[in-house]
Amino acid sequence: MEIFQVIILALIQGLTEFLPISSSAHLILPSQVLGWEDQGLAFDVAVHIGSLLAVMIYFRNEIISMIKAWLASLFKGQHSDDSKLAWWIILATIPAVVFGFMLKDVVETYLRGPGVIAVTTVLFGLLLWWADKMSRCELSEYQTGWKKALLIGFAQALALIPGTSRSGITITAALMLGLNREAAARFSFLMSIPVILGAAILMSKDLSEGGHVFNFSELAIGVGVSFVAAYACIHLFLKIISRMGMTPFVLYRLALGGLLCAFIFF
């Protein structure tokens, strides 16, 4: 790839991984709309690593506290808010893992076209708008509970379909279950860590078995750009959603869906 393509694709990944607008849709679209060649598996791994590093560093204090508390609950029977949150994150990850293994080939074969992306972009955008307007916005992430965590986990499994948005559908589910906007976003971001890590490991495994040739400078730029973009995105998103809500992202999804429909039919 040209360097500007590397930078643009890494920016797309970093900016859209944690916004409720679907990173997978945006990474597929350049090849569909602009005629760019697929960026390849190695680059996908690189930009996901950049996003993973961003969310782990941003929430480093919370992650350390949860790990310590989780170990204390596991080996000493000492339970706390942090240990409960850690268990809920683990529980919420299970549906995505199970359905990911079951449906990966189906999704790759049948659900990556512009038509699917257009429909899911609009449909789940409207659902996000409804959830944001109807939510009681009362609960923090520490009040989620295992039942709500599991339901959010099932919602996360829907993000296997491109255009759904992993962060979008999990925030939607969390809002519908009564979490406030910031709590819904934080829970979604923490949920992303095991999912992104697992996806990166699986892609790395496929990469090692496939005899792929890749450019290390492209990968390094991809990691760096996606890291900076994702870190800034997380910070700004958490700052603005209490004032602006989800409406700007819903409007963006509707506009994107409209443009995709125009591209498909005209």
Side-chain angles (χ1 to χ4, degrees):
M1 293 185 290
E2 299 290 338
I3 294 299
F4 80 94
Q5 290 177 305
V6 172
I7 294 173
I8 289 173
L9 290 172
L11 277 173
I12 290 173
Q13 166 64 25
L15 291 174
T16 60
E17 180 66 42
F18 301 109
L19 292 179
I21 56 177
S22 179
S23 62
S24 58
H26 285 77
L27 287 173
I28 291 170
L29 286 174
S31 62
Q32 297 283 343
V33 178
L34 301 176
W36 290 2
E37 292 185 10
D38 188 271
Q39 59 267 20
L41 187 59
F43 188 78
D44 281 347
V45 174
V47 293
H48 276 82
I49 289 174
S51 298
L52 178 64
L53 290 173
V55 69
M56 290 183 70
I57 291 174
Y58 191 89
F59 290 103
R60 60 192 180 277
N61 294 329
E62 290 87 345
I63 293 170
I64 292 171
S65 296
M66 283 194 297
I67 290 174
K68 289 180 178 178
W70 181 77
L71 291 173
S73 73
L74 187 64
F75 296 109
K76 299 179 181 179
Q78 299 175 355
H79 300 287
S80 64
D81 288 344
D82 283 323
S83 70
K84 292 177 183 177
L85 182 58
W87 281 113
W88 296 337
I89 295 295
I90 293 170
L91 181 63
T93 303
I94 294 173
V97 173
V98 173
F99 286 102
F101 277 110
M102 291 173 57
L103 302 176
K104 180 177 181 293
D105 292 338
V106 174
V107 171
E108 291 289 334
T109 304
Y110 300 107
L111 299 178
R112 292 180 68 86
V116 173
I117 296 172
V119 171
T120 53
T121 296
V122 173
L123 178 63
F124 289 108
L126 291 173
L127 187 61
L128 174 62
W129 173 82
W130 181 84
D132 190 40
K133 296 301 180 184
M134 299 301 294
S135 175
R136 300 190 307 274
C137 293
E138 297 173 345
L139 306 178
S140 74
E141 62 269 35
Y142 293 101
Q143 297 172 294
T144 303
W146 71 267
K147 292 180 181 179
K148 289 183 175 67
L150 187 59
L151 288 172
I152 298 171
F154 277 107
Q156 181 171 242
L158 289 173
L160 291 165
I161 305 171
T164 302
S165 171
R166 192 211 61 81
S167 62
I169 195 63
T170 52
I171 290 173
T172 297
L175 289 171
M176 292 173 69
L177 293 168
L179 273 70
N180 65 56
R181 290 167 180 162
E182 295 85 349
R186 286 193 296 268
F187 194 81
S188 172
F189 294 159
L190 291 170
M191 283 176 65
S192 73
I193 295 172
V195 170
I196 298 175
L197 179 60
I201 291 172
L202 288 176
M203 287 189 289
S204 298
K205 180 177 178 294
D206 293 340
L207 193 64
S208 65
E209 296 173 350
H212 296 269
V213 177
F214 42 83
N215 186 313
F216 281 103
S217 62
E218 288 182 0
L219 301 186
I221 294 171
V223 171
V225 172
S226 65
F227 168 80
V228 172
Y231 192 94
C233 179
I234 294 169
H235 180 73
L236 293 174
F237 183 70
L238 290 172
K239 291 288 185 183
I240 67 173
I241 55 174
S242 61
R243 299 192 304 272
M244 299 177 62
M246 300 297 166
T247 301
F249 307 102
V250 172
L251 294 175
Y252 176 84
R253 291 182 68 125
L254 296 179
L256 178 60
L259 286 174
L260 283 170
C261 289
F263 169 75
I264 294 168
F265 295 109
F266 303 102

